[in-house]
Amino acid sequence: MTHTAYPQSYYAASANPVPPRPELTGETDTDVCIVGAGYTGLSTALSLLENGFKVSIVEAAKVGFGASGRNGGQIVNSYSRDIDVIERTLGPKQAQLLGQMAFEGGRIIRERIAKYGIQCDLKNGGVFAAITGKQMDHLEAQKRLWERYGHTQLELLDAKRIREVVATDNYIGGMLDMSGGHIHPLNLALGEAAAVESLGGVIYEQSPAIRIERDANPVVHTPQGRIKAKFVVVAGNAYLGNLIPELSAKSMPCGTQVITTEPLSAELAKSLLPQDYCVEDCNYLLDYYRLSGDKRLIFGGGVVYGARDPANIEAIIRPKMLRTFPQLKDVKIDYAWTGNFLLTLSRLPQVGRLGDNVYYSQGCSGHGVTYTHLAGKVLAEALRGQAERFDAFAELPHYPFPGGQLLRIPFTAMGAWYYSLRDKLGV
Ligand SMILES: Cc1cc2nc3c(=O)[nH]c(=O)nc-3n(C[C@H](O)[C@H](O)[C@H](O)COP(=O)(O)OP(=O)(O)OC[C@H]3O[C@@H](n4cnc5c(N)ncnc54)[C@H](O)[C@@H]3O)c2cc1C
């Protein structure tokens, strides 16, 4: 079998050492078999193991091979859809539950880092940067809404304050979330995998699930083996392909690209982001950036609908970086890569059960570092028979993309073009 390696990212180049992990061969059994070793799978495994379950994970490639090992590393709380939209579309009870949970993922990440001693360059503080007056009004409204759910740590930044935290003239203001922040995403995933194994969980790499027998006693098949389980949790997200056709009809893989500069001098790094916060702007197709532990600028942006790999990532992303920081014009780009996240039409996660014993959570549509950690906890609660919080997600309605499999990519790209034009015009 061909082994699938990490992309040539900065994260893979600076990953903490890991033990070799076996491929699944032969037959074994467990309480819960999880498909996919990204944050969703790992967080679910940890929550289950901490509650006495036996857990095995089958991973098609390597731990953190998908979005969890490639992302911008930004701990962005809440969901990829604003809470007022959730309030308008769902009942008050469901909105209340989702609103209360919206900042929990960041706390779970910090608890795991502390409990399991994970080395992943954690820094506190994330900034949402407003380019237009309309975006600033939106941030002010969001802050007021979040306060109603008890999330009172958010701080608005005026034009002078935002200039003190990020050295660009692009922004008219912003909002600081000190419960946000940033991490080395692959090292977080690798640390969580080590924690899973320290609690007796088993992770098989290079072991794609190729079939799931969905009956009273589910069985997950890989090319060389199979796992009998009481429950299966599907956590393959944008890399799942068509393993579960009911799920792929209502979600679409999308690519986003990241570049990483050479290490900057300490003075230059500090001049760009003096407090070492991470930043994302408020555009529909947003730019996001931060410093790495060794003071490189990691800059991401852009979306490729349908997740085709663009030919020259640096040519797409570097001009965006220079529009924010022209002072980096002579700085070399050391790494460029792409990764896939899973978009749903509502931009809310796709969560639920298939029959009684196959569970899934995927499709957080952009922001997923915190949600996936919450999802793991909530999935584990459901498997323990406490499904109220799980059901708040499972009841979210989902619809197929307009245009079906053939036309959904151009239709969605047209929608995104429309929204990004509105951002440019400030309307
Ligand atoms: C470039 C990029 C930048 C991003 N930046 C941010 C950010 O800064 N902040 C933020 O909040 N979110 C960000 N996101 C989103 C975030 O990374 C994801 O939402 C999150 O990591 C998803 O985690 P996951 O475990 O659900 O999926 P993944 O991390 O994609 O993991 C799925 C895993 O399942 C495995 N798998 C798939 N199919 C099978 C199968 N059949 N059998 C076995 N294994 C299988 C895959 O190999 C993969 O390892 C970004 C995403 C990308 C791509």
Side-chain angles (χ1 to χ4, degrees):
M1 171 186 171
T2 5
H3 280 206
T4 312
Y6 292 119
Q8 291 185 346
S9 69
Y10 162 69
Y11 301 134
S14 55
N16 293 331
V18 284
R21 298 201 163 94
E23 180 184 340
L24 176 67
T25 53
E27 184 179 300
T28 177
D29 60 24
T30 187
D31 293 337
V32 185
C33 177
I34 297 173
V35 176
Y39 297 145
T40 302
L42 294 164
S43 175
T44 308
L46 272 177
S47 297
L48 288 169
L49 288 157
E50 286 167 349
N51 284 283
F53 283 74
K54 231 174 111 184
V55 177
S56 295
I57 304 181
V58 290
E59 163 53 50
K62 292 173 82 62
V63 167
F65 168 81
S68 302
R70 308 175 187 222
N71 64 64
Q74 306 217 359
I75 301 174
V76 183
N77 284 297
S78 82
Y79 313 109
S80 298
R81 195 85 210 220
D82 292 332
I83 191 67
D84 49 333
V85 181
I86 296 177
E87 283 177 353
R88 279 200 301 276
T89 32
L90 307 169
K93 184 171 170 241
Q94 203 178 353
Q96 186 64 29
L97 273 171
L98 294 174
Q100 281 166 352
M101 287 188 268
F103 287 69
E104 194 173 325
R107 288 199 292 278
I108 297 170
I109 293 171
R110 287 178 174 84
E111 279 161 24
R112 298 250 162 89
I113 290 174
K115 182 169 176 186
Y116 298 107
I118 299 173
Q119 303 298 316
C120 62
D121 303 332
L122 170 67
K123 293 278 159 49
N124 293 328
V127 173
F128 301 91
I131 299 167
T132 64
K134 188 176 165 228
Q135 291 177 352
M136 195 63 213
D137 292 345
H138 182 74
L139 287 178
E140 286 170 14
Q142 289 298 308
K143 179 177 184 292
R144 281 195 300 275
L145 279 164
W146 283 125
E147 282 166 357
R148 287 203 340 238
Y149 291 90
H151 309 302
T152 53
Q153 78 284 10
L154 302 167
E155 182 196 340
L156 291 173
L157 306 175
D158 62 15
K160 180 167 170 288
R161 271 284 285 137
I162 198 158
R163 194 66 180 73
E164 288 165 6
V165 300
V166 45
T168 178
D169 295 327
N170 287 3
Y171 308 134
I172 63 159
M175 185 165 75
L176 171 65
D177 178 8
M178 284 307 289
S179 70
H182 54 103
I183 35 99
H184 184 305
L186 180 57
N187 280 339
L188 175 62
L190 295 174
E192 290 175 336
V196 163
E197 289 163 335
S198 76
L199 298 178
V202 183
I203 303 175
Y204 299 98
E205 291 189 331
Q206 310 297 341
S207 303
I210 49 174
R211 186 162 70 89
I212 301 177
E213 276 178 59
R214 292 194 235 156
D215 53 29
N217 300 299
V219 184
V220 175
H221 293 258
T222 65
Q224 307 292 335
R226 56 191 186 145
I227 301 187
K228 291 180 169 173
K230 296 186 182 112
F231 297 99
V232 174
V233 174
V234 177
N237 205 39
Y239 292 85
L240 188 63
N242 208 26
L243 187 68
I244 315 267
E246 303 96 295
L247 300 188
S248 41
K250 294 181 183 167
S251 48
M252 176 166 70
C254 295
T256 165
Q257 289 72 45
V258 181
I259 59 174
T260 301
T261 66
E262 63 186 323
L264 308 177
S265 69
E267 303 74 55
L268 180 55
K270 196 159 177 58
S271 73
L272 299 181
L273 293 161
Q275 285 81 8
D276 209 349
Y277 299 150
C278 60
V279 181
E280 66 168 48
D281 70 35
C282 297
N283 278 343
Y284 186 79
L285 297 179
L286 53 90
D287 290 344
Y288 48 94
Y289 51 89
R290 66 184 183 91
L291 293 169
S292 65
D294 60 354
K295 305 296 172 223
R296 300 164 183 269
L297 189 77
I298 299 182
F299 196 104
V303 173
V304 179
Y305 293 98
R308 285 159 295 108
D309 284 2
N312 189 344
I313 296 167
E314 186 176 332
I316 301 171
I317 306 296
R318 190 166 179 272
K320 293 174 188 280
M321 180 184 85
L322 294 182
R323 275 198 293 278
T324 307
F325 294 126
Q327 52 275 54
L328 296 183
K329 69 177 181 354
D330 297 324
V331 166
K332 199 167 131 272
I333 303 302
D334 276 351
Y335 300 93
W337 67 92
T338 190
N340 297 342
F341 66 92
L342 193 67
L343 185 71
T344 61
L345 205 53
S346 64
R347 288 191 275 138
L348 288 167
Q350 200 183 7
V351 178
R353 304 172 185 82
L354 300 159
D356 293 335
N357 46 25
V358 178
Y359 286 64
Y360 60 89
S361 169
Q362 59 175 28
C364 31
S365 305
H367 293 145
V369 170
T370 60
Y371 165 74
T372 48
H373 283 82
L374 171 68
K377 191 168 168 191
V378 168
L379 276 159
E381 286 167 8
L383 295 191
R384 283 159 48 215
Q386 296 155 8
E388 193 190 17
R389 301 196 323 152
F390 177 85
D391 286 339
F393 286 106
E395 285 161 14
L396 294 170
H398 286 284
Y399 306 99
F401 279 84
Q405 295 285 340
L406 197 64
L407 290 175
R408 63 185 187 163
I409 296 172
F411 276 25
T412 313
M414 253 159 58
W417 173 83
Y418 167 75
Y419 284 112
S420 55
L421 184 67
R422 285 170 57 108
D423 283 336
K424 284 198 186 100
L425 299 174
V427 294

